Amino acid sequence: MINKRSSGILSFIINSKKPVTIKELSDNFQVSPRTIRYDLENIDDFLNQNNFPLLDRKPSVGISYECSFENLRQISSVFNEMSSYDYIMSQEERVRYIICELLQNNGFITMDKLSEEMSVSKGTLLKDIEESKSWIEKNGLKLKSIRGRGMKVIGEEKLLRKAATKVFGESFDTIELLQVMKESFSKKEKANINIFINKLFKDIDIAYIERCIAIAEEQMEATFSDEAFNALLIHLAIAVKRIQLGRDIVMDKEEVKTLRKLKEFSVAPAIAKMIEDGFNVSVPVEEIGYITIHLLGSNVTTVEELDKDNWLELRFMASKIIEEMENRTGYYLKQDQQLFNGLLQHLRPAVYRLIHGIEIKNPLIEEIKDSYGKVFSHVKKSVSYIEEKYNKRFSDEEIGYFTLHFQAVIEKLKDNKLKKPDVLVVCATGIGTSKMVSARLEAIFDVNIVDNISYREVEKALSRHPVDVIVSTIPINVKDIKSVQVNPFLTEKNIAELNLIFQKAKKSSIPISDYKDEINIDEIIDIIKESCTIENLQELEYNLTAYLKEGAWNKTSRKKPELKDILKEQCISLNAQVKDWEEAVRLSGELLLKNNYVKESYIEAMVKTVKEMGPYIVILPGIAMPHARPEDGVREIGISIVTLKEAVSFGSYENDPVKVIIAIASTDHISHMKALSQLMNVMENENFLQNILKAKKEEEVIKYMQNLVQIAMK
């Protein structure tokens, strides 16, 4: 059996980011180099007896250790059984231990207690405390010391919790943490991963919190990515611990009032009630507000429909980023609906994380920078619009996840052949990473990706799709299906192994004709228009693009119209008399219908949207903007304006009653954004509502709005 100093040395080597010299080990463990050499032999004996790879010793370089995730997990399980009295920690681990001890206590902690728990001298402990103090201060907190009493951390509760989350994240590799959590917590065992978890989550039933989140998923009709699931789990565990210590979170009343309007807030009280019942604590409304924020900041891997809040603003952001990336990369990205939807879905939680300072861990960030540095740099510049809006900066980890969305599309555009074997891609760190793995697979092999899922969704996915091969970034074993564990960036070894497997699973395919770079969709559509009437422009564009191969046509395709291009007198109705909101919406839709912008089905879809999703379309006081999806019957981009003689109510607490209806119709989610951006600038003018209601003729409305556009552009 490995002794406690040898276990500490092995842990130190494993956790080191570079090879460690014997001198470094000697200095750290305060023993002679000869003793270290004996310990290294003892470690190799232990590894050999357990069929693990031996230490990698390189003269003049140092000692390192590389092995599979499974081996690391098994070694870790041995260490986890050791108490803090049996385990010799590295300085980095001792510093984290001190921070954990300080964060999970309200009172003062003495040096004698820390020295006894960690089995180190007071001289060593003083150095560790200085490191701990530096870390604490970097995170906006202070270390208060009083002679005879000890020391304690003081600071804003929000920062204290953020620090607890951060030190926890720094103590674990994300994938390792997810795997250990699944194996321990799901079996309702005591959370004894290691001394750090024991310190932070002592007496906290993690399995119970996990069940609370699973219920929240059901209520939200969403599935969190594994990383988001466990981030929320950690947040709630820390919240329970802090509430038990009598440290409630503080939140502005107005912010709580704003959060109450969101659907996540209706789920948060249910979580709070389960927490109260399970831990015999009282959860205040401010705490419910913070649970809501973390729900908002969670990525979801599957969701039927994006939430109604901030729908217009989020679409602006998504289209703006795509347009910026298109200009920077030279790739035509606007037509990729999957990119738009994926980016839109990622933006909502990312923006909430940005606003509220919620940090996200991206274990692949360094590899993303190394492998996709150019795209990463482009993304960093392309999100500046959002950063300027909120006067905050996205972390590199967040930029890394954005990068994966764009890199996946770029990989697809580089090699867009038909794929053959049915492949399921599984990843522990979320949908963004799995999509990147899928794009790499599609770029290199003839495969058909049936789904990109998290570890927790495997069983459900297999019930929906026939699968030939599972490609996973974590160990996984499914009966009768070949499973291959890969590095997210596909190493040469991964590629060689997959090549053999896919060759065996390969099916017949239908070849696609090569395309010509000079093909331009607009020119083809103009030719078609000369000979016939186009019933559905969007569908025609889609089918032509698919036939000629998506992404092949050059960037001169379809210029986005401005407001002046789509604002027509025949689509304006002034001082209309209606009985209720539905009649007002139908009137705005009929103007679009009469001018051949939409089909009858679009009007019905607009009304249905309000009935099902509520009055979120009332975006400003007195102004409603009804809309539906492009596939609901849009022929061309169009806009209609209706002013009402008597105001109507949509049921909006903040913005009723409504006197102006502005209906929009677009053939896709991006083409109308320039015109819509100009329209938003116009509507934000403080006198807009008053002046447009004064208009007697349709041309007055057009002239007034065009003047405002010109003013905004100066």
Side-chain angles (χ1 to χ4, degrees):
M1 181 65 182
I2 192 169
N3 63 41
K4 59 182 180 181
R5 187 177 58 242
S6 295
S7 69
I9 291 171
L10 178 56
S11 177
F12 186 87
I13 293 170
I14 290 173
N15 290 324
S16 178
K17 296 179 180 178
K18 60 180 181 179
V20 181
T21 65
I22 288 178
K23 185 179 184 307
E24 288 173 326
L25 292 171
S26 175
D27 292 342
N28 188 76
F29 289 90
Q30 299 179 1
V31 294
S32 69
R34 183 174 181 176
T35 300
I36 291 295
R37 289 189 179 93
Y38 282 129
D39 287 334
L40 293 175
E41 294 300 325
N42 186 32
I43 290 169
D44 269 341
D45 287 341
F46 163 75
L47 295 172
N48 185 52
Q49 290 170 10
N50 289 276
N51 297 317
F52 297 144
L54 302 183
L55 295 171
D56 185 9
R57 309 187 199 198
K58 293 181 180 178
S60 302
V61 177
I63 305 151
S64 58
Y65 192 68
E66 294 184 7
C67 67
S68 69
F69 170 81
E70 179 62 23
N71 285 343
L72 283 178
R73 189 189 65 77
Q74 291 172 0
I75 293 171
S76 178
S77 69
V78 175
F79 290 171
N80 291 340
E81 294 172 359
M82 301 177 183
S83 71
S84 58
Y85 294 98
D86 299 324
Y87 184 78
I88 296 178
M89 293 178 281
S90 66
Q91 185 191 32
E92 184 179 9
E93 289 174 318
R94 293 196 304 271
V95 168
R96 289 173 183 164
Y97 186 95
I98 293 169
I99 295 168
C100 288
E101 185 71 37
L102 290 166
L103 291 174
Q104 64 98 33
N105 275 287
N106 261 343
F108 287 85
I109 300 172
T110 65
M111 285 186 62
D112 288 339
K113 180 182 178 184
L114 290 173
S115 178
E116 180 184 351
E117 285 191 3
M118 295 191 295
S119 300
V120 295
S121 67
K122 288 190 177 180
T124 299
L125 185 59
L126 282 172
K127 295 178 183 178
D128 295 339
I129 289 173
E130 281 302 310
E131 289 292 322
S132 303
K133 181 180 178 182
S134 176
W135 188 96
I136 287 166
E137 290 177 349
K138 283 180 182 177
N139 286 274
L141 303 168
K142 290 183 179 180
L143 184 62
K144 182 178 180 179
S145 298
I146 298 179
R147 185 181 296 274
R149 294 185 66 188
M151 54 191 169
K152 67 182 293 187
V153 175
I154 58 173
E156 187 181 346
E157 178 62 17
K158 182 165 66 173
L159 294 178
L160 285 163
R161 295 192 188 191
K162 190 174 181 180
T165 302
K166 187 173 183 179
V167 72
F168 187 87
E170 288 177 353
S171 302
F172 299 98
D173 173 81
T174 303
I175 297 177
E176 176 191 1
L177 175 61
L178 294 173
Q179 187 71 12
V180 176
M181 278 185 166
K182 290 179 201 315
E183 295 184 357
S184 297
F185 299 163
S186 63
K187 295 176 183 177
K188 305 179 184 179
E189 297 171 356
K190 182 179 178 182
N192 191 31
I193 299 175
N194 70 11
I195 54 177
F196 302 111
I197 293 182
N198 286 341
K199 277 294 166 192
L200 278 174
F201 299 149
K202 186 179 180 181
D203 301 324
I204 301 294
D205 186 349
I206 297 293
Y208 179 80
I209 298 176
E210 187 181 35
R211 293 194 296 276
C212 294
I213 300 172
I215 293 171
E217 284 183 307
E218 294 176 5
Q219 292 178 346
M220 292 176 66
E221 297 182 343
T223 302
F224 298 143
S225 67
D226 284 342
E227 182 153 312
F229 186 97
N230 286 285
L232 184 56
L233 186 151
I234 292 166
H235 163 74
L236 290 172
I238 290 172
V240 170
K241 187 70 177 179
R242 299 300 294 176
I243 293 171
Q244 288 176 339
L245 293 172
R247 298 295 297 268
D248 293 336
I249 202 79
V250 177
M251 179 178 283
D252 182 76
K253 290 182 179 179
E254 286 301 314
E255 187 171 10
V256 175
K257 184 179 176 182
T258 300
L259 290 170
R260 284 182 182 275
K261 302 171 187 174
L262 306 177
K263 81 168 186 178
E264 283 83 357
F265 194 90
S266 64
V267 175
I271 297 177
K273 181 64 168 62
M274 288 185 282
I275 294 295
E276 289 180 331
D277 294 342
F279 297 97
N280 194 28
V281 295
S282 177
V283 180
V285 67
E286 290 83 0
E287 203 73 60
I288 294 173
Y290 267 89
I291 294 174
T292 303
I293 287 172
H294 277 266
L295 289 173
L296 289 165
S298 297
N299 290 320
V300 289
T301 57
T302 56
V303 66
E304 293 300 319
E305 190 173 346
L306 283 170
D307 289 330
K308 56 193 179 182
D309 58 298
N310 299 330
W311 64 272
L312 188 56
E313 189 173 22
L314 289 172
R315 280 162 174 76
F316 270 133
M317 292 179 186
S319 61
K320 183 75 173 177
I321 296 173
I322 290 173
E323 188 171 29
E324 285 289 326
M325 285 296 293
E326 185 174 280
N327 292 334
R328 295 179 189 280
T329 65
Y331 286 98
Y332 191 75
L333 306 171
K334 291 188 182 76
Q335 289 299 113
D336 197 303
Q337 191 63 46
Q338 190 175 15
L339 169 64
F340 183 85
N341 289 338
L343 192 61
L344 193 62
Q345 194 170 334
H346 183 81
L347 261 174
R348 182 175 182 264
V351 168
Y352 273 100
R353 287 192 292 266
L354 178 71
I355 294 171
H356 296 284
I358 299 173
E359 294 184 357
I360 186 171
K361 189 174 181 182
N362 187 338
L364 299 173
I365 185 59
E366 294 305 321
E367 291 181 81
I368 291 171
K369 287 180 179 178
D370 290 342
S371 300
Y372 305 131
K374 199 168 184 180
V375 174
F376 179 88
S377 177
H378 289 324
V379 171
K380 201 161 190 175
K381 294 172 184 175
S382 297
V383 298
S384 60
Y385 161 77
I386 303 172
E387 294 177 328
E388 290 170 7
K389 178 180 177 65
Y390 297 107
N391 195 29
K392 293 188 178 183
R393 293 286 176 266
F394 283 115
S395 66
D396 281 0
E397 282 76 5
E398 198 79 72
I399 298 293
Y401 282 120
F402 281 119
T403 299
L404 295 180
H405 283 280
F406 285 98
Q407 188 64 41
V409 177
I410 290 172
E411 294 282 2
K412 182 174 65 175
L413 293 176
K414 286 179 180 178
D415 186 356
N416 199 22
K417 299 176 183 177
L418 286 178
K419 315 305 177 196
K420 314 300 187 302
D422 292 323
V423 178
L424 179 67
V425 179
V426 181
C427 185
T429 55
I431 195 69
T433 308
S434 63
K435 282 186 175 179
M436 186 270 291
V437 174
S438 296
R440 293 285 291 159
L441 290 172
E442 291 178 326
I444 299 170
F445 304 106
D446 285 341
V447 295
N448 173 44
I449 306 300
V450 299
D451 209 345
N452 302 276
I453 62 169
S454 66
Y455 178 91
R456 297 166 52 247
E457 298 176 279
V458 171
E459 187 175 341
K460 186 190 297 183
L462 291 176
S463 68
R464 296 195 305 259
H465 309 289
V467 172
D468 298 312
V469 181
I470 296 176
V471 176
S472 174
T473 59
I474 57 175
I476 190 171
N477 185 23
V478 177
K479 187 178 180 181
D480 298 328
I481 300 178
K482 181 67 177 177
S483 300
V484 186
Q485 183 182 354
V486 299
N487 180 287
F489 289 83
L490 297 189
T491 64
E492 291 299 320
K493 182 181 177 182
N494 293 153
I495 293 171
E497 182 182 8
L498 289 170
N499 188 46
L500 293 173
I501 293 170
F502 290 152
Q503 285 299 324
K504 293 179 181 178
K506 204 167 187 179
K507 302 172 184 178
S508 61
S509 64
I510 303 172
I512 287 184
S513 302
D514 290 337
Y515 60 87
K516 294 182 179 180
D517 288 340
E518 67 271 21
I519 290 175
N520 185 292
I521 292 293
D522 277 6
E523 293 174 358
I524 296 175
I525 289 176
D526 288 339
I527 293 171
I528 295 172
K529 281 182 176 179
E530 291 177 4
S531 304
C532 59
T533 301
I534 299 175
E535 286 291 326
N536 191 322
L537 181 61
Q538 181 195 19
E539 186 175 349
L540 177 62
E541 284 184 341
Y542 178 87
N543 291 335
L544 282 173
T545 301
Y547 178 75
L548 296 170
K549 200 173 183 184
E550 183 177 338
W553 32 294
N554 62 35
K555 287 181 62 175
T556 60
S557 181
R558 300 211 74 80
K559 178 183 176 183
K560 290 195 291 185
E562 298 185 19
L563 184 60
K564 63 181 176 62
D565 299 321
I566 62 174
L567 190 58
K568 308 295 182 184
E569 288 184 25
Q570 58 267 32
C571 285
I572 298 175
S573 176
L574 303 178
N575 297 313
Q577 184 77 46
V578 297
K579 63 181 179 181
D580 55 25
W581 70 262
E582 183 173 341
E583 189 174 340
V585 169
R586 289 187 180 279
L587 177 57
S588 67
E590 285 166 6
L591 291 171
L592 295 172
L593 178 65
K594 288 177 182 177
N595 290 279
N596 207 35
Y597 291 129
V598 301
K599 298 177 183 178
E600 183 73 38
S601 58
Y602 191 78
I603 301 174
E604 298 303 324
M606 287 198 299
V607 172
K608 182 180 178 182
T609 298
V610 179
K611 287 182 176 180
E612 291 183 352
M613 299 186 68
Y616 78 97
I617 64 165
V618 186
I619 60 171
L620 291 169
I623 303 174
M625 188 174 283
H627 63 282
R629 295 177 177 275
E631 58 268 28
D632 288 327
V634 179
R635 288 194 170 100
E636 289 187 52
I637 297 174
I639 181 174
S640 69
I641 299 176
V642 176
T643 65
L644 302 177
K645 191 171 183 179
E646 294 180 6
V648 295
S649 175
F650 278 74
S652 171
Y653 176 77
E654 288 187 329
N655 296 324
D656 270 344
V658 171
K659 292 208 74 174
V660 175
I661 312 291
I662 302 176
I664 54 175
S666 178
T667 54
D668 56 49
H669 292 291
I670 293 182
S671 298
H672 66 305
M673 280 299 171
K674 187 170 185 178
L676 198 52
S677 177
Q678 292 174 341
L679 177 60
M680 291 299 292
N681 287 334
V682 166
M683 290 190 297
E684 286 174 356
N685 184 287
E686 60 181 357
N687 297 318
F688 171 75
L689 187 63
Q690 179 183 352
N691 288 334
I692 201 169
L693 289 173
K694 287 180 181 178
K696 303 297 182 183
K697 296 182 180 180
E698 290 79 5
E699 58 263 32
E700 292 178 23
V701 174
I702 293 177
K703 185 177 180 180
Y704 170 66
M705 294 178 71
Q706 287 179 348
N707 286 338
L708 288 181
V709 170
Q710 291 174 358
I711 292 171
M713 292 174 64
K714 290 181 180 179

